[in-house]
Amino acid sequence: MPSDPRLSTQDLPAQAPPLPHKWLRICGLLLVGLFIAYLDRSNLSVGIKNISTDLGFSGDEFAATSSLALTAFLVGYLISNFLGGFLTARIDAKWILLATVAGYSLCTLFIGFVDSVEALIALRVGVGVFEGIYWPQQFRMAKAWFDEREMTRASALIQYYGQYLALALGFFLLTPIEASYGWRPMFWALGAIGLVVILPLYARFLPTAPAATMAPTRARDSGGPSRKRLSFAAFGGWRFVLIVFSYFTNGMLFWGITLFIPLIVPTFGFAPSVNGLLSAAPYIVSLLLTIPMMILGDRTGRRGPIAVSGLVVGGVLLACVALTDSPVLQFALICLGLGYFTASYTPNIWAIAVTDLPAHVVGPATGIINGFGAGGGGIVAGALVGALLAATGTYALGLSVLGLVAILGGLALFAYTRMRPATSSVAPADS
């Protein structure tokens, strides 16, 4: 087979290094790990009502204090995604993963003992810091052990399914657990799972970095070429700003719903016994829609347009929430909007980003994208939805504003796909 002159053999080997059972050892383990990490992120949304009673911020203080507590995670997440990608770029991803799992699991465990809002917020920031450093390491693993032809599947298994299985099952499972046993045991159990299950599995089965990915670190000491620089051009220049903005709007839409969905669903007046299931419904829709969207992506190879449609179509559906007073229709728009958006955008955006980036910038770049995108977008969305709730007494206007912002993100991603250079490692059909 003739070689593709656009591919850089230094940044993206034609064939990934051999590793027995790599789909299970990397994708399977990281899927399970992210599943638990996302339960640690979303558990506060489940317990916030009872926490507010126990810690004394129910009533008039609830809207402002709950918004602050829910978004505290994202403050730490934003900072550490950005810094963690740079500071850990020369350290083996396996050891960073082990340290961060231990860190956010301990923070989650200790939340079960808090007796003040200040301690709750501080520990939620801690969860965000450790999970933010954790995040880019997944894509360093993917870049090291999977080649171009495997990247979409690897990204979907590592990031998408771990995340959305947790959200689909998490609200459904955690809501009755919290109702039966209380919020403190819920935090204790999740922290313990990270420490006694995930941590040993990672230590035993995750591989260390292949020798080829460590070569740039040792090159200068051995007299070889100097390390590659983490320059603005290496990240893609101004094109990189477009993908970061796209992910920022994704973060606003995703976290603006996810932080508040357990509080939104009861306002629709459905039977309380089904609120946990209904809170999980948008993520169940996402998992179901992912199957045809992945088939479409595999057959057409057009990751870019599919991801763009996720933000635009999902944004339009969410923007319509404030246009109706029907609880059933509002709930349907939320389910379809979030479901289509996540099924189309999330599995593709990381495959686009990771395959476009040189290997030596994958950690820092994915940290920037996810830090400013998920962290920054989530913080803005949490403040926005909380402020509009306080002003209007309803979540509908906030959700519609998030939908309009997502449409702008879709336009930015469309511009990014038009500007991808001929030297990109992605085949033309992908753009």
Side-chain angles (χ1 to χ4, degrees), residues 368-401:
I368 292 172
I369 294 170
N370 197 52
F372 283 117
I379 291 169
V380 172
L384 175 67
V385 174
L388 291 176
L389 170 65
T392 66
T394 177
Y395 291 97
L397 182 58
L399 296 179
S400 291
V401 172

Side-chain angles (χ1 to χ4, degrees), residues 29 32-33 36 98 101 104-105 189-205:
L29 281 180
V32 173
I36 300 301
L98 290 173
V101 169
Y104 67 69
S105 297
L190 289 173
I193 290 172
L195 293 171
V196 304
V197 178
I198 303 302
L199 200 59
L201 285 174
Y202 277 20
R204 175 65 179 84
F205 295 108

Side-chain angles (χ1 to χ4, degrees), residues 27 304 386:
C27 293

Side-chain angles (χ1 to χ4, degrees), residues 34 38 41 77 81 135 138-139 159-160 163-164 239-255 307 311 341-342 345-351 353 365-378 405-406 408-410 412-413 416:
L34 192 63
Y38 256 85
R41 300 181 191 195
Y77 196 63
N81 257 279
W135 183 269
Q138 302 172 107
F139 299 104
Q159 191 267 334
Y160 178 82
Q163 175 179 345
Y164 287 97
R239 290 179 297 106
F240 185 67
V241 176
L242 290 172
I243 201 169
V244 170
F245 176 74
S246 162
Y247 208 76
F248 179 87
T249 66
N250 153 81
M252 286 191 66
L253 187 58
F254 172 79
W255 283 108
L311 283 172
F341 147 63
T342 51
Y345 181 85
T346 308
N348 288 296
I349 192 63
W350 289 113
T366 54
I368 292 172
I369 294 170
N370 197 52
F372 283 117
V405 172
L408 296 178
L413 182 59
Y416 173 89

Side-chain angles (χ1 to χ4, degrees), residues 66-386:
S66 64
S67 179
L68 178 60
L70 290 168
T71 55
F73 163 86
L74 294 167
V75 174
Y77 196 63
L78 184 158
I79 296 169
S80 63
N81 257 279
F82 179 75
L83 294 179
F86 285 92
L87 297 178
T88 65
R90 304 299 177 182
I91 305 174
D92 194 306
K94 174 177 178 174
W95 307 118
I96 304 300
L97 287 166
L98 290 173
T100 52
V101 169
Y104 67 69
S105 297
L106 283 170
C107 288
T108 298
L109 182 73
F110 291 152
I111 287 174
F113 296 97
V114 300
D115 57 6
S116 70
V117 174
E118 292 78 12
L120 172 65
I121 291 173
L123 286 169
R124 284 295 289 181
V125 171
V127 174
V129 167
F130 285 110
E131 290 204 10
I133 298 172
Y134 174 100
W135 183 269
Q137 315 311 319
Q138 302 172 107
F139 299 104
R140 292 177 65 198
M141 280 277 186
K143 189 75 169 184
W145 292 107
F146 296 95
D147 61 35
E148 169 93 19
R149 297 176 297 277
E150 301 167 322
M151 193 58 71
T152 299
R153 286 173 292 159
S155 296
L157 287 172
I158 290 171
Q159 191 267 334
Y160 178 82
Y161 281 102
Q163 175 179 345
Y164 287 97
L165 280 172
L167 292 168
L169 297 176
F171 292 127
F172 179 61
L173 295 175
L174 293 181
T175 298
I177 290 173
E178 193 269 345
S180 299
Y181 300 101
W183 62 272
R184 294 184 187 274
M186 177 180 67
F187 282 95
W188 294 335
L190 289 173
I193 290 172
L195 293 171
V196 304
V197 178
I198 303 302
L199 200 59
L201 285 174
Y202 277 20
R204 175 65 179 84
F205 295 108
L206 276 182
T208 54
T213 65
M214 301 301 292
T217 304
R218 299 193 299 264
R220 181 172 296 172
D221 297 334
S222 61
S226 61
R227 295 178 183 177
K228 297 175 183 178
R229 297 181 59 190
L230 295 174
S231 64
F232 185 54
F235 286 98
W238 289 106
R239 290 179 297 106
F240 185 67
V241 176
L242 290 172
I243 201 169
V244 170
F245 176 74
S246 162
Y247 208 76
F248 179 87
T249 66
N250 153 81
M252 286 191 66
L253 187 58
F254 172 79
W255 283 108
I257 295 174
T258 300
L259 289 173
F260 295 100
I261 191 69
L263 303 175
I264 294 172
V265 167
T267 67
F268 292 138
F270 301 119
S273 60
V274 299
N275 282 346
L277 176 61
L278 294 179
S279 296
Y283 310 101
I284 297 173
V285 172
S286 175
L287 290 169
L288 294 175
L289 288 178
T290 297
I291 298 172
M293 296 311 298
M294 287 185 68
I295 293 173
L296 179 63
D298 286 343
R299 290 184 177 179
T300 66
R302 298 183 65 82
R303 297 171 183 158
I306 294 173
V308 169
S309 77
L311 283 172
V312 174
V313 174
V316 169
L317 290 171
L318 267 299
C320 293
V321 169
L323 301 180
T324 176
D325 293 325
S326 167
V328 173
L329 185 54
Q330 287 183 336
F331 181 69
L333 288 170
I334 292 171
C335 288
L336 292 175
L338 185 66
Y340 182 82
F341 147 63
T342 51
S344 303
Y345 181 85
T346 308
N348 288 296
I349 192 63
W350 289 113
I352 292 170
V354 172
T355 51
D356 276 7
L357 294 166
H360 70 290
V361 304
V362 166
T366 54
I368 292 172
I369 294 170
N370 197 52
F372 283 117
I379 291 169
V380 172
L384 175 67
V385 174

